[in-house]
Coordinates of all heavy atoms in Angstrom, one line a residue:
T1 N -0.6 -0.9 -4.3 CA -1.6 -2.0 -4.3 C -3.0 -1.5 -4.5 O -3.3 -0.3 -4.4 CB -1.5 -2.7 -2.9 OG1 -2.0 -1.9 -1.9 CG2 -0.1 -3.1 -2.6
A2 N -3.9 -2.4 -4.8 CA -5.3 -2.1 -5.0 C -5.9 -1.5 -3.8 O -6.6 -0.5 -3.9 CB -6.0 -3.3 -5.5
L3 N -5.6 -2.0 -2.6 CA -6.2 -1.5 -1.4 C -5.6 -0.1 -1.1 O -6.4 0.8 -0.6 CB -5.8 -2.4 -0.2 CG -6.6 -3.7 -0.2 CD1 -6.2 -4.6 1.0 CD2 -8.1 -3.5 -0.1
A4 N -4.4 0.2 -1.5 CA -3.8 1.6 -1.3 C -4.6 2.5 -2.3 O -4.8 3.7 -1.9 CB -2.4 1.6 -1.6
K5 N -4.9 2.1 -3.5 CA -5.7 2.9 -4.4 C -7.0 3.3 -3.8 O -7.5 4.4 -3.9 CB -5.9 2.2 -5.7 CG -4.6 2.0 -6.5 CD -5.0 1.2 -7.8 CE -3.8 0.7 -8.5 NZ -4.1 -0.1 -9.7
I6 N -7.7 2.3 -3.2 CA -9.0 2.5 -2.6 C -8.9 3.4 -1.4 O -9.7 4.3 -1.2 CB -9.7 1.2 -2.3 CG1 -10.0 0.5 -3.7 CG2 -11.0 1.4 -1.6 CD1 -10.5 -1.0 -3.5
A7 N -7.9 3.2 -0.6 CA -7.7 4.0 0.6 C -7.4 5.5 0.2 O -7.9 6.4 0.9 CB -6.5 3.5 1.4
W8 N -6.6 5.7 -0.8 CA -6.4 7.0 -1.3 C -7.7 7.7 -1.8 O -8.0 8.8 -1.5 CB -5.3 7.0 -2.4 CG -5.0 8.4 -2.9 CD1 -5.5 9.1 -4.0 CD2 -4.2 9.3 -2.2 NE1 -5.0 10.3 -4.0 CE2 -4.2 10.5 -3.0 CE3 -3.4 9.3 -1.1 CZ2 -3.4 11.6 -2.6 CZ3 -2.6 10.4 -0.7 CH2 -2.7 11.6 -1.5
A9 N -8.5 6.9 -2.5 CA -9.8 7.4 -3.0 C -10.7 7.8 -1.8 O -11.4 8.8 -1.8 CB -10.5 6.4 -3.9
A10 N -10.7 6.9 -0.8 CA -11.5 7.1 0.4 C -11.0 8.4 1.2 O -11.9 9.2 1.6 CB -11.4 5.9 1.4
A11 N -9.7 8.6 1.3 CA -9.2 9.8 2.0 C -9.5 11.1 1.1 O -9.7 12.1 1.7 CB -7.7 9.6 2.2
S12 N -9.5 10.9 -0.2 CA -9.8 12.1 -1.1 C -11.2 12.3 -1.4 O -11.6 13.2 -2.1 CB -9.0 11.8 -2.4 OG -7.6 11.6 -2.1
H13 N -12.1 11.4 -0.9 CA -13.5 11.4 -1.2 C -14.1 12.8 -0.9 O -14.0 13.3 0.3 CB -14.2 10.3 -0.4 CG -15.7 10.4 -0.5 ND1 -16.5 10.9 0.4 CD2 -16.5 9.9 -1.5 CE1 -17.8 10.8 0.1 NE2 -17.8 10.2 -1.1
N14 N -14.7 13.4 -1.9 CA -15.4 14.7 -1.7 C -16.6 14.7 -2.6 O -16.5 15.0 -3.8 CB -14.5 15.9 -2.1 CG -15.1 17.2 -1.9 OD1 -16.3 17.3 -1.5 ND2 -14.4 18.3 -2.2
P15 N -17.8 14.4 -2.0 CA -19.0 14.3 -2.8 C -19.4 15.6 -3.4 O -20.2 15.6 -4.3 CB -20.0 13.8 -1.8 CG -19.5 14.2 -0.4 CD -18.0 14.2 -0.6
R16 N -18.8 16.7 -3.0 CA -19.2 18.0 -3.6 C -18.3 18.4 -4.7 O -18.5 19.4 -5.4 CB -19.1 19.1 -2.5 CG -20.1 18.9 -1.4 CD -20.0 20.0 -0.4 NE -20.9 19.8 0.7 CZ -20.5 19.2 1.9 NH1 -19.3 19.0 2.1 NH2 -21.4 19.0 2.8
A17 N -17.3 17.6 -5.0 CA -16.3 17.9 -6.1 C -17.0 17.8 -7.5 O -17.8 16.9 -7.7 CB -15.1 17.0 -6.1
A18 N -16.6 18.7 -8.4 CA -17.2 18.7 -9.7 C -16.8 17.3 -10.4 O -15.6 16.9 -10.3 CB -16.6 19.8 -10.5
G19 N -17.7 16.7 -11.0 CA -17.4 15.5 -11.7 C -17.5 14.2 -10.8 O -17.2 13.1 -11.3
F20 N -17.8 14.4 -9.6 CA -17.8 13.3 -8.7 C -19.0 12.4 -9.0 O -20.1 12.8 -9.1 CB -17.9 13.7 -7.2 CG -18.0 12.6 -6.2 CD1 -16.9 11.8 -6.0 CD2 -19.1 12.3 -5.5 CE1 -16.9 10.8 -5.1 CE2 -19.2 11.3 -4.6 CZ -18.1 10.5 -4.4
A21 N -18.7 11.1 -9.3 CA -19.7 10.2 -9.8 C -20.6 9.7 -8.6 O -21.7 9.2 -8.9 CB -19.0 9.0 -10.4
G22 N -20.2 9.8 -7.4 CA -21.0 9.4 -6.3 C -20.8 7.9 -5.9 O -20.2 7.2 -6.6
L23 N -21.4 7.6 -4.8 CA -21.3 6.3 -4.2 C -22.6 5.5 -4.4 O -22.7 4.4 -3.9 CB -21.0 6.4 -2.7 CG -19.7 7.1 -2.4 CD1 -19.5 7.2 -0.9 CD2 -18.5 6.3 -3.0
S24 N -23.6 6.0 -5.1 CA -24.9 5.4 -5.2 C -24.8 4.0 -5.9 O -25.6 3.1 -5.6 CB -25.9 6.2 -5.9 OG -25.4 6.5 -7.2
G25 N -23.8 3.8 -6.8 CA -23.6 2.5 -7.4 C -23.3 1.4 -6.5 O -23.5 0.2 -6.8
F26 N -22.8 1.8 -5.3 CA -22.4 0.8 -4.3 C -23.6 0.4 -3.4 O -23.4 -0.5 -2.6 CB -21.2 1.2 -3.5 CG -19.9 1.4 -4.2 CD1 -19.5 2.7 -4.6 CD2 -19.2 0.3 -4.6 CE1 -18.4 2.8 -5.4 CE2 -18.0 0.5 -5.3 CZ -17.6 1.7 -5.7
Q27 N -24.7 1.0 -3.6 CA -25.9 0.8 -2.8 C -26.8 -0.2 -3.4 O -28.0 -0.3 -3.0 CB -26.6 2.1 -2.5 CG -25.7 3.1 -1.8 CD -26.4 4.4 -1.6 OE1 -27.4 4.7 -2.2 NE2 -25.8 5.3 -0.8
Q28 N -26.3 -1.1 -4.3 CA -27.2 -2.0 -5.0 C -27.2 -3.4 -4.4 O -27.6 -4.4 -5.0 CB -26.8 -2.1 -6.5 CG -25.3 -2.4 -6.7 CD -25.0 -2.4 -8.2 OE1 -25.6 -3.1 -9.0 NE2 -23.9 -1.7 -8.5
G29 N -26.7 -3.5 -3.2 CA -26.6 -4.8 -2.6 C -25.4 -5.6 -3.0 O -24.3 -5.0 -3.1
E30 N -25.5 -6.9 -3.1 CA -24.4 -7.7 -3.5 C -24.0 -7.5 -5.0 O -24.8 -7.5 -5.8 CB -24.6 -9.2 -3.2 CG -24.7 -9.5 -1.7 CD -24.9 -11.0 -1.5 OE1 -25.3 -11.7 -2.4 OE2 -24.5 -11.4 -0.4
M31 N -22.7 -7.4 -5.2 CA -22.1 -7.2 -6.5 C -21.2 -8.3 -6.9 O -20.3 -8.7 -6.1 CB -21.4 -5.8 -6.6 CG -22.2 -4.6 -6.5 SD -21.3 -3.1 -6.5 CE -20.8 -3.1 -4.7
M32 N -21.3 -8.8 -8.1 CA -20.3 -9.7 -8.6 C -19.0 -9.0 -8.7 O -19.0 -7.7 -8.9 CB -20.8 -10.3 -9.9 CG -22.0 -11.2 -9.8 SD -22.5 -11.9 -11.4 CE -21.1 -12.9 -11.7
P33 N -17.9 -9.6 -8.7 CA -16.6 -8.9 -8.8 C -16.5 -8.0 -10.0 O -16.0 -6.9 -9.8 CB -15.6 -10.1 -8.9 CG -16.2 -11.2 -8.2 CD -17.7 -11.1 -8.5
E34 N -17.0 -8.4 -11.2 CA -16.9 -7.5 -12.3 C -17.7 -6.2 -12.1 O -17.3 -5.2 -12.5 CB -17.4 -8.3 -13.6 CG -16.5 -9.5 -13.9 CD -16.8 -10.7 -13.1 OE1 -17.8 -10.8 -12.4 OE2 -15.9 -11.6 -13.1
A35 N -18.9 -6.3 -11.5 CA -19.7 -5.2 -11.3 C -19.1 -4.3 -10.3 O -19.1 -3.0 -10.4 CB -21.1 -5.6 -10.8
F36 N -18.4 -4.8 -9.3 CA -17.7 -4.1 -8.2 C -16.6 -3.3 -8.9 O -16.4 -2.1 -8.6 CB -17.2 -5.0 -7.1 CG -16.5 -4.3 -6.1 CD1 -17.0 -3.4 -5.3 CD2 -15.1 -4.6 -5.8 CE1 -16.3 -2.7 -4.2 CE2 -14.4 -4.0 -4.8 CZ -15.0 -3.1 -4.0
S37 N -15.8 -4.0 -9.7 CA -14.7 -3.4 -10.4 C -15.2 -2.2 -11.3 O -14.6 -1.1 -11.3 CB -14.0 -4.4 -11.3 OG -12.9 -3.8 -12.0
E38 N -16.3 -2.4 -11.9 CA -16.9 -1.3 -12.8 C -17.3 -0.1 -11.9 O -17.1 1.1 -12.3 CB -18.0 -1.8 -13.6 CG -18.7 -0.8 -14.5 CD -17.8 -0.2 -15.6 OE1 -16.8 -0.9 -15.9 OE2 -18.1 0.8 -16.1
Q39 N -17.8 -0.4 -10.7 CA -18.2 0.7 -9.8 C -17.0 1.5 -9.4 O -17.0 2.7 -9.2 CB -19.1 0.2 -8.7 CG -20.4 -0.2 -9.0 CD -21.2 0.9 -9.7 OE1 -21.1 2.1 -9.4 NE2 -22.1 0.5 -10.7
L40 N -15.9 0.8 -9.0 CA -14.7 1.5 -8.6 C -14.2 2.3 -9.7 O -13.7 3.5 -9.5 CB -13.6 0.4 -8.2 CG -13.9 -0.3 -6.9 CD1 -12.8 -1.4 -6.8 CD2 -13.8 0.6 -5.7
R41 N -14.2 1.9 -11.0 CA -13.8 2.6 -12.1 C -14.6 3.9 -12.3 O -14.1 5.0 -12.5 CB -13.8 1.8 -13.4 CG -13.1 2.5 -14.6 CD -13.4 1.8 -15.9 NE -14.8 1.7 -16.2 CZ -15.5 2.8 -16.7 NH1 -15.0 3.9 -16.8 NH2 -16.8 2.6 -17.0
R42 N -15.9 3.7 -12.2 CA -16.9 4.9 -12.4 C -16.7 5.9 -11.3 O -16.7 7.1 -11.6 CB -18.3 4.4 -12.5 CG -18.6 3.7 -13.8 CD -20.1 3.2 -13.8 NE -20.4 2.5 -15.0 CZ -21.6 2.0 -15.2 NH1 -22.6 2.1 -14.4 NH2 -21.8 1.3 -16.4
A43 N -16.7 5.4 -10.1 CA -16.7 6.4 -9.0 C -15.4 7.0 -8.7 O -15.3 8.2 -8.3 CB -17.2 5.7 -7.7
F44 N -14.3 6.3 -8.9 CA -13.0 6.8 -8.5 C -11.9 6.7 -9.5 O -10.7 7.0 -9.2 CB -12.5 6.0 -7.2 CG -13.5 5.9 -6.2 CD1 -14.1 4.7 -5.8 CD2 -14.0 7.0 -5.5 CE1 -15.0 4.6 -4.8 CE2 -14.9 7.0 -4.5 CZ -15.5 5.7 -4.2
N45 N -12.3 6.2 -10.7 CA -11.3 6.0 -11.8 C -10.2 5.1 -11.4 O -9.1 5.2 -11.7 CB -10.7 7.4 -12.3 CG -10.1 7.2 -13.6 OD1 -10.5 6.4 -14.5 ND2 -9.0 8.0 -13.9
I46 N -10.6 4.1 -10.6 CA -9.7 3.0 -10.2 C -9.8 1.8 -11.1 O -10.9 1.3 -11.2 CB -9.9 2.6 -8.7 CG1 -9.6 3.7 -7.8 CG2 -9.1 1.3 -8.4 CD1 -10.0 3.4 -6.3
K47 N -8.7 1.5 -11.8 CA -8.7 0.4 -12.7 C -7.9 -0.8 -12.1 O -6.8 -0.5 -11.7 CB -8.2 0.8 -14.1 CG -9.0 1.8 -14.7 CD -8.4 2.4 -16.0 CE -9.2 3.5 -16.6 NZ -8.7 4.8 -16.4
L48 N -8.5 -1.9 -12.0 CA -7.8 -3.0 -11.3 C -7.5 -4.2 -12.3 O -8.3 -4.5 -13.2 CB -8.7 -3.6 -10.2 CG -9.2 -2.7 -9.1 CD1 -10.1 -3.4 -8.2 CD2 -8.0 -2.2 -8.3
S49 N -6.4 -4.7 -12.1 CA -6.0 -5.9 -12.9 C -6.8 -7.1 -12.3 O -7.4 -7.0 -11.2 CB -4.5 -6.2 -12.7 OG -4.3 -6.7 -11.4
P50 N -6.9 -8.2 -13.0 CA -7.7 -9.3 -12.5 C -7.2 -9.8 -11.2 O -7.9 -10.2 -10.2 CB -7.5 -10.4 -13.6 CG -7.4 -9.6 -14.9 CD -6.6 -8.4 -14.4
K51 N -5.8 -9.8 -11.0 CA -5.2 -10.2 -9.7 C -5.6 -9.2 -8.6 O -5.9 -9.6 -7.5 CB -3.7 -10.4 -9.9 CG -3.1 -11.1 -8.7 CD -1.6 -11.4 -9.1 CE -1.1 -12.4 -8.1 NZ -0.5 -13.5 -8.7
E52 N -5.5 -7.9 -8.9 CA -5.9 -6.9 -7.9 C -7.4 -7.1 -7.5 O -7.7 -7.0 -6.3 CB -5.7 -5.5 -8.4 CG -4.2 -5.1 -8.5 CD -4.0 -3.7 -9.1 OE1 -4.7 -3.4 -10.2 OE2 -3.2 -3.0 -8.6
L53 N -8.2 -7.3 -8.5 CA -9.7 -7.5 -8.2 C -9.9 -8.6 -7.3 O -10.7 -8.5 -6.4 CB -10.4 -7.6 -9.5 CG -11.9 -7.8 -9.4 CD1 -12.6 -6.7 -8.6 CD2 -12.6 -8.0 -10.8
E54 N -9.2 -9.7 -7.6 CA -9.4 -10.9 -6.7 C -9.0 -10.6 -5.3 O -9.7 -10.9 -4.3 CB -8.5 -12.0 -7.3 CG -8.6 -13.3 -6.5 CD -7.7 -14.4 -7.1 OE1 -7.4 -14.4 -8.3 OE2 -7.3 -15.3 -6.3
A55 N -7.9 -9.9 -5.1 CA -7.4 -9.5 -3.7 C -8.4 -8.6 -3.1 O -8.7 -8.7 -1.9 CB -6.1 -8.9 -3.8
V56 N -8.9 -7.6 -3.8 CA -9.9 -6.6 -3.2 C -11.2 -7.3 -2.9 O -11.7 -7.0 -1.8 CB -10.1 -5.5 -4.3 CG1 -11.2 -4.6 -3.9 CG2 -8.8 -4.6 -4.3
V57 N -11.7 -8.2 -3.7 CA -12.9 -8.9 -3.4 C -12.7 -9.7 -2.2 O -13.6 -9.7 -1.3 CB -13.4 -9.7 -4.6 CG1 -14.5 -10.7 -4.2 CG2 -13.9 -8.8 -5.7
E58 N -11.6 -10.4 -2.1 CA -11.3 -11.2 -0.9 C -11.3 -10.3 0.4 O -11.8 -10.7 1.4 CB -10.0 -11.9 -1.0 CG -9.7 -12.9 0.1 CD -8.4 -13.6 -0.1 OE1 -8.2 -14.1 -1.2 OE2 -7.7 -13.8 0.9
H59 N -10.8 -9.1 0.3 CA -10.7 -8.2 1.4 C -12.1 -7.7 1.8 O -12.4 -7.6 3.0 CB -9.8 -7.0 1.1 CG -9.6 -6.0 2.2 ND1 -8.8 -6.2 3.3 CD2 -10.3 -4.9 2.4 CE1 -8.9 -5.2 4.1 NE2 -9.8 -4.4 3.6
F60 N -12.9 -7.3 0.9 CA -14.2 -6.7 1.2 C -15.3 -7.6 1.3 O -16.4 -7.3 1.7 CB -14.5 -5.6 0.1 CG -13.6 -4.4 0.2 CD1 -12.8 -4.1 -0.9 CD2 -13.6 -3.6 1.3 CE1 -12.0 -3.0 -0.8 CE2 -12.8 -2.5 1.3 CZ -12.0 -2.2 0.3
D61 N -15.1 -8.9 1.0 CA -16.2 -9.9 1.1 C -16.2 -10.5 2.5 O -15.7 -11.5 2.7 CB -15.9 -11.0 0.0 CG -17.0 -12.1 0.0 OD1 -18.1 -11.9 0.6 OD2 -16.8 -13.1 -0.6
D62 N -16.9 -9.8 3.4 CA -16.9 -10.2 4.8 C -17.5 -11.6 5.0 O -17.0 -12.3 5.8 CB -17.7 -9.2 5.6 CG -17.0 -7.9 5.7 OD1 -15.8 -7.8 5.5 OD2 -17.7 -6.9 6.1
D63 N -18.5 -11.9 4.3 CA -19.1 -13.3 4.5 C -18.6 -14.3 3.6 O -19.1 -15.5 3.6 CB -20.7 -13.2 4.4 CG -21.2 -12.6 3.2 OD1 -20.4 -12.4 2.2 OD2 -22.4 -12.3 3.1
K64 N -17.6 -14.0 2.8 CA -16.9 -15.0 1.9 C -17.8 -15.8 1.0 O -17.6 -16.9 0.8 CB -16.0 -15.9 2.8 CG -15.1 -15.2 3.7 CD -14.1 -14.3 3.0 CE -13.2 -13.6 3.9 NZ -12.6 -12.4 3.4
N65 N -18.7 -15.0 0.4 CA -19.6 -15.7 -0.6 C -19.3 -15.4 -2.0 O -20.0 -15.8 -3.0 CB -21.1 -15.3 -0.3 CG -21.4 -13.9 -0.6 OD1 -20.5 -13.1 -0.9 ND2 -22.6 -13.5 -0.4
G66 N -18.2 -14.7 -2.3 CA -17.7 -14.4 -3.6 C -18.3 -13.1 -4.2 O -18.0 -12.7 -5.3
Y67 N -19.1 -12.4 -3.4 CA -19.6 -11.1 -3.8 C -19.2 -10.0 -2.8 O -18.9 -10.3 -1.7 CB -21.2 -11.2 -3.8 CG -21.8 -12.2 -4.8 CD1 -21.9 -13.5 -4.4 CD2 -22.1 -11.8 -6.1 CE1 -22.5 -14.4 -5.3 CE2 -22.6 -12.7 -7.0 CZ -22.8 -14.0 -6.6 OH -23.3 -14.9 -7.5
V68 N -19.3 -8.8 -3.3 CA -19.0 -7.7 -2.4 C -20.4 -7.0 -2.1 O -21.0 -6.5 -3.1 CB -18.0 -6.6 -3.1 CG1 -17.9 -5.4 -2.2 CG2 -16.7 -7.3 -3.3
D69 N -20.7 -7.0 -0.9 CA -22.0 -6.3 -0.5 C -21.7 -4.8 -0.4 O -20.7 -4.4 0.2 CB -22.4 -6.8 0.9 CG -23.7 -6.2 1.3 OD1 -23.7 -5.2 1.9 OD2 -24.8 -6.8 1.0
G70 N -22.5 -4.0 -1.0 CA -22.3 -2.6 -1.0 C -22.2 -2.0 0.3 O -21.4 -1.1 0.6
A71 N -23.0 -2.4 1.2 CA -23.0 -1.9 2.6 C -21.7 -2.3 3.3 O -21.1 -1.5 4.0 CB -24.2 -2.4 3.4
E72 N -21.3 -3.5 3.1 CA -20.0 -4.0 3.7 C -18.8 -3.1 3.1 O -18.0 -2.6 3.9 CB -19.7 -5.4 3.3 CG -20.6 -6.4 4.0 CD -20.4 -7.8 3.5 OE1 -19.6 -8.1 2.6 OE2 -21.1 -8.7 4.0
F73 N -18.9 -2.8 1.8 CA -17.8 -2.0 1.2 C -17.9 -0.6 1.8 O -16.8 -0.1 2.1 CB -18.0 -2.0 -0.3 CG -17.1 -0.9 -0.9 CD1 -15.8 -1.2 -1.1 CD2 -17.6 0.3 -1.4 CE1 -14.9 -0.2 -1.6 CE2 -16.8 1.2 -1.9 CZ -15.4 1.0 -2.0
M74 N -19.0 0.0 1.9 CA -19.1 1.4 2.4 C -18.5 1.5 3.8 O -17.8 2.5 4.1 CB -20.6 1.9 2.4 CG -21.2 1.9 1.0 SD -20.3 3.0 -0.1 CE -20.9 4.6 0.5
V75 N -18.8 0.5 4.7 CA -18.2 0.5 6.0 C -16.7 0.5 5.9 O -16.0 1.4 6.6 CB -18.7 -0.6 6.9 CG1 -17.9 -0.8 8.2 CG2 -20.2 -0.5 7.2
H76 N -16.2 -0.4 5.1 CA -14.7 -0.5 5.0 C -14.2 0.8 4.3 O -13.1 1.3 4.8 CB -14.3 -1.7 4.1 CG -14.5 -3.0 4.8 ND1 -13.6 -3.4 5.8 CD2 -15.4 -4.0 4.6 CE1 -14.0 -4.6 6.1 NE2 -15.0 -5.0 5.4
F77 N -14.8 1.3 3.3 CA -14.4 2.5 2.6 C -14.2 3.7 3.5 O -13.2 4.4 3.5 CB -15.4 2.8 1.5 CG -15.1 4.0 0.7 CD1 -14.1 3.9 -0.4 CD2 -15.7 5.2 0.9 CE1 -13.8 5.0 -1.1 CE2 -15.4 6.3 0.1 CZ -14.4 6.2 -0.9
F78 N -15.2 4.0 4.3 CA -15.1 5.1 5.2 C -14.1 4.9 6.3 O -13.4 5.9 6.7 CB -16.5 5.5 5.8 CG -17.4 6.1 4.7 CD1 -18.5 5.5 4.2 CD2 -17.0 7.3 4.1 CE1 -19.3 6.0 3.2 CE2 -17.8 7.9 3.1 CZ -18.9 7.3 2.7
K79 N -14.0 3.7 6.8 CA -12.9 3.4 7.8 C -11.5 3.6 7.2 O -10.6 4.2 7.8 CB -13.0 2.0 8.3 CG -14.1 1.7 9.3 CD -14.1 0.3 9.8 CE -15.2 0.0 10.8 NZ -15.1 -1.4 11.2
M80 N -11.4 3.1 6.0 CA -10.1 3.3 5.3 C -9.8 4.8 5.1 O -8.6 5.2 5.2 CB -10.1 2.6 3.9 CG -10.1 1.1 4.0 SD -10.3 0.3 2.4 CE -8.7 0.3 1.8
G81 N -10.8 5.5 4.7 CA -10.6 7.0 4.5 C -10.2 7.7 5.8 O -9.2 8.5 5.7
F82 N -10.8 7.3 6.9 CA -10.4 7.9 8.2 C -9.0 7.6 8.5 O -8.2 8.4 8.9 CB -11.4 7.5 9.3 CG -11.0 8.0 10.6 CD1 -11.3 9.3 11.0 CD2 -10.4 7.2 11.5 CE1 -11.0 9.8 12.2 CE2 -10.0 7.7 12.8 CZ -10.3 9.0 13.1
Q83 N -8.6 6.3 8.4 CA -7.3 5.8 8.7 C -6.2 6.5 7.8 O -5.2 6.9 8.3 CB -7.2 4.3 8.6 CG -8.0 3.6 9.7 CD -8.1 2.1 9.4 OE1 -7.9 1.6 8.3 NE2 -8.5 1.4 10.4
E84 N -6.5 6.6 6.5 CA -5.6 7.3 5.6 C -5.4 8.7 5.9 O -4.3 9.3 5.9 CB -6.1 7.0 4.1 CG -5.1 7.6 3.1 CD -3.8 7.0 3.0 OE1 -3.6 5.8 3.5 OE2 -2.8 7.6 2.5
K85 N -6.5 9.4 6.2 CA -6.4 10.9 6.5 C -5.6 11.0 7.8 O -4.8 12.0 7.9 CB -7.8 11.4 6.7 CG -8.6 11.7 5.4 CD -10.0 12.2 5.7 CE -10.8 12.3 4.4 NZ -12.2 12.7 4.7
S86 N -5.8 10.2 8.8 CA -5.1 10.2 10.0 C -3.6 10.0 9.8 O -2.8 10.7 10.3 CB -5.6 9.2 11.0 OG -6.9 9.5 11.4
A87 N -3.3 9.0 9.0 CA -1.9 8.8 8.6 C -1.2 9.9 7.9 O -0.1 10.3 8.2 CB -1.7 7.5 7.8
Q88 N -2.0 10.5 7.0 CA -1.4 11.7 6.2 C -1.2 12.9 7.2 O -0.2 13.6 7.0 CB -2.4 12.1 5.1 CG -2.4 11.1 4.0 CD -3.5 11.4 2.9 OE1 -4.1 12.5 3.0 NE2 -3.7 10.5 2.0
K89 N -2.1 13.1 8.1 CA -2.0 14.2 9.0 C -0.8 14.0 9.9 O 0.0 14.9 10.2 CB -3.3 14.3 9.9 CG -3.2 15.5 10.8 CD -4.5 15.6 11.6 CE -4.5 16.8 12.6 NZ -5.8 16.9 13.3
K90 N -0.6 12.8 10.4 CA 0.5 12.4 11.3 C 1.8 12.6 10.5 O 2.8 13.2 11.1 CB 0.4 11.0 11.7 CG 1.4 10.6 12.8 CD 1.2 9.2 13.3 CE -0.1 9.0 14.0 NZ -0.2 7.6 14.6
W91 N 1.9 12.2 9.2 CA 3.0 12.4 8.4 C 3.4 13.9 8.2 O 4.5 14.3 8.4 CB 2.9 11.7 7.1 CG 4.0 11.9 6.2 CD1 5.2 11.1 6.2 CD2 4.3 12.9 5.2 NE1 6.0 11.5 5.3 CE2 5.5 12.6 4.6 CE3 3.5 13.9 4.7 CZ2 6.0 13.4 3.6 CZ3 4.0 14.7 3.7 CH2 5.3 14.4 3.1
R92 N 2.3 14.7 8.0 CA 2.5 16.2 7.8 C 3.1 16.8 9.1 O 3.9 17.7 9.0 CB 1.3 16.9 7.3 CG 0.9 16.6 5.9 CD -0.2 17.6 5.4 NE -1.4 17.4 6.1 CZ -2.4 16.5 5.9 NH1 -2.2 15.7 4.9 NH2 -3.5 16.5 6.6
L93 N 2.5 16.4 10.2 CA 3.0 17.0 11.5 C 4.4 16.6 11.8 O 5.1 17.3 12.5 CB 2.0 16.6 12.6 CG 0.6 17.2 12.5 CD1 -0.3 16.5 13.6 CD2 0.6 18.7 12.7
A94 N 4.8 15.4 11.3 CA 6.2 15.0 11.6 C 7.2 15.7 10.7 O 8.4 15.6 11.0 CB 6.3 13.5 11.4
Q95 N 6.8 16.4 9.7 CA 7.7 17.1 8.8 C 8.3 18.3 9.3 O 7.8 19.1 10.0 CB 7.0 17.3 7.4 CG 6.6 16.1 6.7 CD 7.7 15.1 6.4 OE1 8.8 15.5 5.9 NE2 7.5 13.9 6.8

């Protein structure tokens, strides 16, 4: 799913990695869905179908105004990364 793609990107997030595009594009305030999709593609090479984009915008649009606020996204992004890393660690320990 689109959220799984973003969670994986969040868990794998390494700002020191070569070629990392960074998160600065998400710091531009409110983004229309198309701009948000473009930032996901640039920063994490995540390509979303129109249906996936609709679901992701609905998930990250806390105030339900049709836009994704960069600050709202960053809060969700880092939470998702922490949760995904924890789940991966738990899975590795169970093996």
Side-chain angles (χ1 to χ4, degrees):
T1 69
L3 289 176
K5 293 176 190 178
I6 295 170
W8 183 261
S12 304
H13 175 260
N14 181 358
R16 295 183 187 99
F20 179 69
L23 299 174
S24 61
F26 295 101
Q27 297 173 351
Q28 57 183 305
E30 290 187 336
M31 292 175 275
M32 293 182 66
E34 297 78 15
F36 178 64
S37 180
E38 180 62 20
Q39 288 303 325
L40 290 173
R41 188 191 62 74
R42 287 182 182 178
F44 310 115
N45 199 31
I46 295 175
K47 298 173 181 109
L48 301 176
S49 71
K51 192 170 195 125
E52 287 177 317
L53 178 59
E54 183 180 333
V56 167
V57 168
E58 185 175 316
H59 180 81
F60 290 115
D61 181 13
D62 289 342
D63 53 11
K64 305 300 180 205
N65 65 356
Y67 296 88
V68 175
D69 183 272
E72 291 172 358
F73 171 74
M74 298 298 285
V75 168
H76 287 288
F77 180 80
F78 288 113
K79 282 182 183 178
M80 291 172 83
F82 177 78
Q83 291 168 344
E84 181 66 22
K85 285 178 189 177
S86 295
Q88 290 174 7
K89 183 178 180 181
K90 192 180 289 186
W91 180 83
R92 283 192 303 275
L93 291 173
Q95 298 302 310

